[in-house]
Amino acid sequence: MAERFDDWEKDDKGHLKVWPMLAFTTALFGTEKVGLRLEIGAQQPKPGEPVPALQLVLDPTQVRQLAEALAEAEARLVDARFTTLANSPPGSA
């Protein structure tokens, strides 16, 4: 079985290349597609500078799959936080 991050892009030190999301916007393209723009970067650009972004077009099935994946990730995050709090020593929360 492949490791969870085997196919993710990494730098020359083996660290995952990930960027914080600064913002996102959505748009409808007629009645068939959704546009999703994810603005990314280590910091907000100066006024007038372009914002690095990934712009995607999704069909309805992809929108639903992405929504379900994000909801699952959020639920797992909440569960992980709850489990961590539940296992902390008394008075440390």
Side-chain angles (χ1 to χ4, degrees):
M1 181 169 93
E3 291 297 317
R4 183 182 331 213
F5 298 110
D6 281 352
D7 58 349
W8 288 43
E9 187 178 358
K10 298 173 190 73
D11 65 16
D12 27 346
K13 294 182 181 178
H15 299 126
L16 293 176
K17 287 186 178 182
V18 295
W19 297 98
M21 185 174 69
L22 303 174
F24 71 91
T25 53
T26 60
L28 291 178
F29 295 134
T31 60
E32 301 296 321
K33 301 286 183 177
V34 171
L36 173 62
R37 177 181 164 87
L38 302 171
E39 295 181 1
I40 58 174
Q43 60 189 20
Q44 289 280 356
K46 295 176 184 158
E49 288 185 351
V51 178
L54 176 62
Q55 297 178 165
L56 304 171
V57 64
L58 308 166
D59 63 38
T61 300
Q62 292 170 314
V63 172
R64 191 169 22 267
Q65 290 170 336
L66 180 57
E68 290 170 359
L70 290 172
E72 179 184 337
E74 190 270 342
R76 291 172 57 200
L77 183 60
V78 168
D79 185 52
R81 287 183 176 170
F82 177 77
T83 301
T84 300
L85 287 175
N87 292 330
S88 350
S92 66

